[in-house]
Amino acid sequence: DAGVIQSPRHEVTEMGQEVTLRCKPISGHDYLFWYRQTMMRGLELLIYFNNNVPIDDSGMPEDRFSAKMPNASFSTLKIQPSEPRDSAVYFCASTRTGFFYEQYFGPGTRLTVT
Amino acid sequence: AQTVTQSQPEMSVQEAETVTLSCTYDTSENNYYLFWYKQPPSRQMILVIRQEAYKQQNATENRFSVNFQKAAKSFSLKISDSQLGDTAMYFCAFMKGVGNQFYFGTGTSLTVIP
C-alpha cells in the first residue's frame, strides 16, 4: 500500500490567498484525521471524519478553515483567507474502525504564509 | 481533560548507548492507550511502540521498550543500542480507550552522536 498521500508537500502563499491541502487515505480506512503541527502548540487535531462524514471539528481554529471529504479516497483542508499565523505543517492520518490506535500519518504539508 | 507532558525538549546520546525519554500524563480515564511516535527530518510520523493501560507488562519492540507506571502516570521510552537513524523528534501520545483522538506531548528532540 502507498500509505497516506498528501499534496502538496510544500506550499508557499501570500496572506489573503486561498490554500487547499489534499489527502488520500489508505484504502479501506474509514476514519480520516487532519492535524496541525506548530512549534508553539505542537500537534493538534483539527477535524476528523468517519465514513466521509465530519464527526468532530472542534479543533478547527476559525471559520477561515474548512474541510471536506467528498468520497472515501479524498479529503481537502481549505484555508480562506490565509494568514501568516496559519504557517505550520499539516498532517493527514487515517485508520479503520476498531484500530484507532493505529493511525497512519501522511508525510505532511509544510505551509508558509507570507 | 487529558494532558501529556514531555519535560525534556532536547536530549543526546552516544551511538550504541542507551537513552530514556520521559513522559507523564494526566487523565481520569481507566482505559486508555499510550504511544511513542518518532518524527525524523522527513516529517513522517512513525509509530514506535504502543501500550494498553490494562496490561501490566511493559511493551517491547526490538531496541525500544517502555516503563509504564500507571499509578504514577508515567510512560518513559528506553532506546537501547542507539543508532544514528534514531535521531528524530519523539512524541508521547495518549488516547482514550473509547475514542480516537490523540493527545500529543510537545516532543523531545533526540540526537544520536557518532
Side-chain angles (χ1 to χ4, degrees):
Chain A
D1 197 310
V4 176
I5 299 172
Q6 289 187 248
S7 64
R9 292 295 307 274
H10 304 274
E11 176 79 38
V12 180
T13 190
E14 292 184 348
M15 183 173 62
Q17 298 297 307
E18 177 180 294
V19 175
T20 299
L21 311 181
R22 297 173 176 79
C23 175
K24 176 179 169 57
I26 292 173
S27 178
H29 284 190
D30 54 348
Y31 280 85
L32 184 140
F33 304 79
W34 281 102
Y35 292 88
R36 177 172 67 176
Q37 184 179 31
T38 62
M39 290 293 292
M40 292 296 294
R41 300 173 68 89
L43 264 161
E44 304 172 282
L45 177 66
L46 299 178
I47 185 172
Y48 75 89
F49 296 82
N50 176 222
N51 290 323
N52 314 337
V53 176
I55 302 301
D56 185 351
D57 65 354
S58 59
M60 295 285 263
E62 50 198 275
D63 291 345
R64 297 185 296 106
F65 286 68
S66 62
K68 294 182 179 180
M69 192 165 186
N71 57 62
S73 59
F74 184 66
S75 176
T76 60
L77 177 67
K78 184 178 294 186
I79 308 172
Q80 166 64 22
S82 58
E83 297 182 3
R85 61 193 168 117
D86 302 330
S87 296
V89 180
Y90 291 82
F91 286 97
C92 175
S94 72
T95 189
R96 48 193 172 128
T97 298
F99 293 87
F100 299 126
Y101 46 82
E102 287 184 356
Q103 288 191 19
Y104 293 83
F105 284 75
T109 295
R110 180 177 291 281
L111 173 66
T112 303
V113 183
T114 60
Chain B
Q2 278 60 231
T3 59
V4 179
T5 302
Q6 293 179 250
S7 59
Q8 304 154 312
E10 296 181 354
M11 293 191 73
S12 61
V13 62
Q14 289 290 140
E15 194 176 5
E17 297 295 309
T18 296
V19 64
T20 299
L21 310 183
S22 301
C23 173
T24 59
Y25 59 95
D26 188 22
T27 184
S28 58
E29 303 285 326
N30 191 50
N31 182 25
Y32 52 87
Y33 298 90
L34 294 163
F35 309 81
W36 279 96
Y37 273 87
K38 170 184 177 181
Q39 187 180 40
S42 66
R43 296 203 310 264
Q44 188 85 21
M45 291 287 284
I46 303 166
L47 178 64
V48 175
I49 199 165
R50 180 184 82 239
Q51 175 80 41
E52 291 88 342
Y54 65 85
K55 289 186 177 179
Q56 293 185 341
Q57 186 172 9
N58 289 325
T60 299
E61 288 287 342
N62 300 313
R63 298 182 295 107
F64 299 87
S65 61
V66 299
N67 182 5
F68 174 47
Q69 301 289 327
K70 190 172 184 180
K73 296 180 180 176
S74 170
F75 183 62
S76 61
L77 173 70
K78 185 171 82 171
I79 305 174
S80 303
D81 186 25
S82 297
Q83 301 176 358
L84 297 179
D86 296 334
T87 292
M89 196 77 167
Y90 286 82
F91 292 94
C92 179
F94 170 99
M95 179 181 285
K96 295 180 187 179
V98 178
N100 44 39
Q101 180 175 350
F102 276 117
Y103 297 88
F104 286 94
T106 51
T108 296
S109 178
L110 177 68
T111 301
V112 179
I113 302 168

